[in-house]
Amino acid sequence: MPRLVLLTEGFAGRSFELKTECSTVGRVEDNNFQIPAPSVSSHHCEIILRGNDVVVKDLGSTNGTFINGEQITEQALQMGQTVRFGSVEARLEASAPKGASGKKVLDKTTVLPQGVKLKELETGTQKIASFDKNSPFKKKSNKLKWVFIGIGALIIIIIIVVLVNLVMGGGK
């Protein structure tokens, strides 16, 4: 049974066994594989098992899903390849090895915490230094904000002109 092993600092060693036909990956707790990192969307992608294939399908995430550094919308992931959810990287591996007794050999894998606390979302687990033009992450535009500010300023000017006309015209 395949599993995803996180490689990014702060999450390294955590893993998720792909047991079901479709598993969701995201920042919030209702995902099958929760990764509480600011660059991971609340519902980032799906991991789909199709026979022996493991397919990664992006769910319109803000910071994208990448396989071996190339952004994808839906693509098969091979054993040993890396997948990146925002800035969190993971590798697809075979199941953890079993000992002679048939029990799993313990490794450094830890279980993800249950849920994301509000203060964790505010402080974040990783800081992104900057969004320069070479970054795979896109800064959202503030054009709509400036349109509303311009319309508001125009309305205020019209109101002032009308009031001045009323005051000037009222004195005659």
Side-chain angles (χ1 to χ4, degrees):
M1 185 173 306
R3 68 180 180 149
L4 287 174
V5 178
L6 295 179
L7 306 172
T8 302
E9 186 178 332
F11 299 104
R14 293 181 182 182
S15 69
F16 176 72
E17 295 232 10
L18 302 171
K19 297 177 184 178
T20 61
E21 186 177 313
C22 182
S23 302
T24 57
V25 176
R27 188 180 64 240
V28 294
E29 61 188 47
D30 66 344
N31 289 286
N32 302 105
F33 188 26
Q34 181 194 16
I35 305 172
S39 67
V40 177
S41 292
S42 56
H43 296 96
H44 200 94
C45 70
E46 290 179 336
I47 309 292
I48 305 161
L49 298 179
R50 290 186 186 148
N52 291 334
D53 292 334
V54 176
V55 178
V56 180
K57 180 180 178 184
D58 187 79
L59 296 176
S61 61
T62 302
N63 295 321
T65 304
F66 300 79
I67 292 181
N68 287 344
E70 292 186 30
Q71 189 165 10
I72 58 105
T73 52
E74 184 172 337
Q75 184 174 320
L77 179 66
Q78 305 300 319
M79 287 295 172
Q81 285 187 317
T82 58
V83 59
R84 191 174 79 226
F85 316 108
S87 65
V88 178
E89 195 167 45
R91 181 175 48 239
L92 182 65
E93 296 181 354
S95 288
K98 295 192 177 200
S101 65
K103 293 184 179 178
K104 274 190 175 180
V105 175
L106 296 178
D107 56 10
K108 294 182 181 177
T109 303
T110 57
V111 177
L112 286 172
Q114 290 291 324
V116 175
K117 308 290 186 262
L118 182 59
K119 64 182 177 180
E120 289 174 354
L121 285 176
E122 291 170 354
T123 60
T125 55
Q126 296 176 328
K127 301 289 182 201
I128 298 173
S130 68
F131 288 98
D132 63 4
K133 58 185 165 189
N134 296 328
S135 173
F137 308 114
K138 297 174 183 93
K139 185 174 181 180
K140 293 185 179 179
S141 172
N142 288 329
K143 289 179 184 176
L144 191 59
K145 175 179 134 182
W146 290 110
V147 168
F148 282 114
I149 289 173
I151 291 171
L154 186 61
I155 291 172
I156 290 172
I157 290 171
I158 291 171
I159 291 173
I160 291 172
V161 168
V162 169
L163 288 175
V164 168
N165 283 338
L166 285 175
V167 169
M168 297 300 241
K172 290 183 181 180

